[in-house]
Every structure is written in C-alpha cells, then in structure tokens.
Amino acid sequence: MFDTGSTGFMLICTMLVFLMTPGLAFFYGGLTRRKNVTNTMLMTFIVIGVVGVLWVVAGWSFAYGGDGSISFFGGFDQLLCLPIVQQVLDEAANPPADATYPSIVNIAFQMAFAMITSAIITGSVAGRMKFKAVTLFLAFWVLVVYAPLAHMVWGGAGSLIGEQIGALDFAGGDVVHISSGLTGLVLCLALGGRRGFGVMSYRPHNVPFVALGAGLLWFGWLGFNSGSEFAVDGVAALALLNTVTASAAGLASWLVVERLATGKPTLVGASTGLVAGLVAITPGAGFVEPWAALIIGAAVPPVCFFAISNLKARFGYDDALDAFGCHGIGGIVGGILTGLFCVPELSWTDFGGLFYTGDPTLLIAQVLGIAVTIAIVLILDLVLVLVVKALCSGNLRVDEADEALGLDVSEHGESAYPAFTGLD
C-alpha cells in the first residue's frame, strides 16, 4: 500500500500551490490602478481556466511524458491524460515498490506550478494589453515554453539542463521565476510603456490587497517548496524552514534598503521583500543550510530594489508590477547562490557548492543552466509575440482611449468600485 502520510502531504502541498494563483491576483490587483484592478485580477484568474484545461490536454504529456530519449521535450503518449485511470488501477492492485503516493498526484501538483508561473507574467503587462492577446499568449506559452522547459530541468535522465548540464533547481528558479520574469520583460518591451509612463507616478491603489496577496503567496509557497521534495522527510522540513527563513530575511532586508533609499519603510516594501526572499530561495530550498538561506534572503532585496527603482528608468521598459524585477532577477540571484551554498550531500548531482568544496563545477553548471534557460525562453517568446500579434490584427495593446478610460470598463464592462467614474 501507499504511505498515507506521504499521500496526504502531497495532496495538501498541491492545494497550497493552487492557492498561490488567487493569492497573486490580490497581490497584483492591489498594486495596480483602480481603473484596472478587475482586468489585472482577471488576467490572473484566466490562467486557471487556460492552464487547467491545457495541462490535462497536452501540458503534462509535453513536460513529463515520453521515454526520456528527447532532452528538451516529453512526448505525446500522455495526451488528455488517457493512460492515467488505468495507471491508477494498476498501482492500486500492485503499488510500485519505490512509490510512497499515487503518481496521479504529480499531475495536479505540476499543474498548479504551471498556473502560478503563467500568472506571474501578467504583472508586467498590466494596464495596456488586450485581454484576448493575454489569453492567447498564455495558452501558447504554457505548451510551447513552460512544459518543454520543465522537462529540460526536471525530466530526469537525459534532460538538457537538469541531467546533461547538471544544474540544480529544487522548486523552480529556472522553470518558474526566470522563465516568467523574462517573458514579462519581453512582453512589456513589445507593448511599450503605459500611457504617461516616465511622467506620471503609478502608486498601488489598495495596499491591504497587496499584503493579503503576499500572505497567501507566502502560505502557498510553503507547499510549493517543501512539496518539491516529493516525500515526507527531513529535506522537506529543511525546505520549509529555509523558505520561512529566507522570506523573513528578505522582508527585513527590503525594509532596511527602502529606509536607506527613501527614508521610510512601507507595507508594500515589506510585501515585496517577502516575495523576493521566497523567489531567491526557491532553487536552493532543499539544498542549503538555514544560515545560507538567511544570506540568500538578505542578499536579494538590494539587487531587486535596484532593478525596480533604477533599471526600468534607465532602459525605459515598463515592467508594470515588476514581474521581471522581482521574479526574473530574484530567480537568477537564487540560482547562482545555490551554486555557492549547496550542501554536497544534498545535491542531486556529484557536485556541491563552491563554499564547501572549492570546486566551481556546480557554480558553472548553475550559470550555464540559467544562460540556456534565458536563451530558450527569449527565442520562443519572440516567436510567440509575432504569432499572437498576427492573430490580434497586428496589435497587442488596447487603443489610447480605452487605456485612458481603464481596462475594467473598456475590456470587461465592469468596475471593482461601482461608484468610480474611470478617472484617477
């Protein structure tokens, strides 16, 4: 029989990860302007519909199907999850000797990962992208970019990044954060800046929403990282402890940076620092010691703060809700620091972190894995932008009048605040 404790643990972790996508809707909804809050939250919620359908249809098969003979793609043998029911029956009759929970749990667990990753992208395009264009792009992206990338990192024997390059990614530094953050950057460059970008000041319209969303993300992230051990053991507990430790250090570090830079700590800053710490620890959650998690969590806010407050203005890209500044940059920092602090005995490869071994092999693999991730995502994103643009009459963004009115009214005919007139 399967171990009921492990089965229950994985089911609970799966539910926690599913919670993260609605949580992100509150986080992003609070950060955006009043006239765009419904649109911003709906862009996150549409991910549930699009990814929830496509993951069963083909995403699971593209990511984890096949026989492992292709390094960058799963296969077509699991389309519509057709073999799953028979597999459940076979496992019930003769449970695999090395399995502690039914393998069908993995389909839902990985679906939840695909959802939150796709939803992160929407933060970069808030306030000006057509809802039709967002929906089409995300539908293509989860199948063409996310699923193959998940196979390259977590596909096991023969996988390009995880096996051949030897890069470590415990819960999604490459697969989740770098891929979504970089995609957000590509889209915001393709769209151009919001109306008044560089002149107007964009402030969060509902700070309690931001804090609520950050809290839901934090809670869900505990299952996100600890569940990535796929077992009830000490490493799962270590991943949970490191997740709390890094997020706490990230929150505290961000407030210090904010106090030095602006003179005042803020609740939005605390929420952002919490998320930045979570992002940075994700690739190394089950590989590093708690003291290293403290360093990782404390180190990432200055880098992300600089990217958000300086790089955007210097290079002129409008990453509206800082998906790239927080997730893309934070994922890169976390992946590199994993190469420094990975405990050799916890590594999935033959190599440990530079701090322990003095051997740069793992660190080089981490950097190379990140570089390959960036190259693959960038190329595929550019192709998808052209495809979706063609399907949307050559334009990804709403017209100027609709943007000025607000996307809640112009795109959906509703308002989060019925008494609101559309002016802010």
Side-chain angles (χ1 to χ4, degrees), residues 230-243:
F230 300 99
V232 182
D233 60 15
V235 174
L238 175 67
L240 188 145
L241 176 60
N242 284 339
T243 301

Side-chain angles (χ1 to χ4, degrees), residues 12 17 27 29 32 34-35 41 75 115 117 126 133 136 172 181 208 218 242 284 304 316 356 393 411 416 423:
I12 291 171
V17 182
F27 187 75
T32 195
R34 288 193 300 167
K35 64 183 180 181
M41 297 182 78
M115 283 182 181
T117 305
L136 286 173
W218 186 65
N242 284 339
C304 290
Y356 292 91
S393 304
E411 287 281 277
L423 302 176

Side-chain angles (χ1 to χ4, degrees), residues 329-340:
I329 298 296
I332 291 172
V333 171
I336 292 173
L337 292 180
T338 299
L340 291 178

Side-chain angles (χ1 to χ4, degrees), residues 60-62 64-67 73-83:
W60 167 257
S61 187
F62 290 179
Y64 300 105
D67 58 6
F73 183 75
F76 298 96
D77 57 316
Q78 300 285 327
L79 293 177
L80 293 171
C81 296
L82 290 177

Side-chain angles (χ1 to χ4, degrees), residues 44-201:
T44 302
F45 267 82
I46 192 59
V47 168
I48 298 173
V50 170
V51 177
V53 171
L54 293 179
W55 192 254
V56 171
V57 172
W60 167 257
S61 187
F62 290 179
Y64 300 105
D67 58 6
S69 60
I70 304 176
S71 64
F72 55 88
F73 183 75
F76 298 96
D77 57 316
Q78 300 285 327
L79 293 177
L80 293 171
C81 296
L82 290 177
I84 297 304
V85 171
Q86 186 59 51
Q87 185 175 335
V88 169
L89 295 174
D90 292 342
E91 288 181 349
N94 298 290
D98 58 346
T100 57
Y101 62 90
S103 58
I104 192 173
V105 177
N106 291 332
I107 300 177
F109 187 65
Q110 296 299 339
M111 178 196 290
F113 269 65
M115 283 182 181
I116 186 61
T117 305
S118 302
I120 290 169
I121 297 168
T122 64
S124 290
V125 302
R128 76 268 203 206
M129 190 169 182
K130 291 179 179 178
F131 187 70
K132 174 185 176 181
V134 170
T135 304
L136 286 173
F137 184 88
L138 293 174
F140 287 126
W141 191 85
V142 72
L143 296 179
V144 175
V145 180
Y146 178 84
L149 184 61
H151 179 82
M152 291 181 222
V153 176
W154 294 326
S159 57
L160 177 61
I161 297 174
E163 177 72 17
Q164 296 182 14
I165 293 177
L168 297 176
D169 188 357
F170 190 80
D174 289 319
V175 181
V176 176
H177 298 297
I178 296 175
S179 69
S180 61
L182 181 61
T183 299
L185 177 63
V186 170
L187 282 177
C188 75
L189 288 171
L191 286 168
R194 287 166 291 177
R195 178 173 170 267
F197 176 68
V199 178
M200 299 173 59
S201 175

Side-chain angles (χ1 to χ4, degrees), residues 215-287:
L216 291 171
L217 285 170
W218 186 65
F219 184 55
W221 222 300
L222 301 177
F224 188 92
N225 282 354
S226 60
S228 293
E229 169 62 4
F230 300 99
V232 182
D233 60 15
V235 174
L238 175 67
L240 188 145
L241 176 60
N242 284 339
T243 301
V244 176
T245 300
S247 60
L251 188 156
S253 176
W254 193 285
L255 290 181
V256 171
V257 172
E258 191 174 47
R259 177 68 173 80
L260 294 174
T262 68
K264 294 181 179 180
T266 66
L267 181 55
V268 170
S271 301
T272 306
L274 174 74
V275 173
L278 292 167
V279 170
I281 196 58
T282 293
F287 299 133

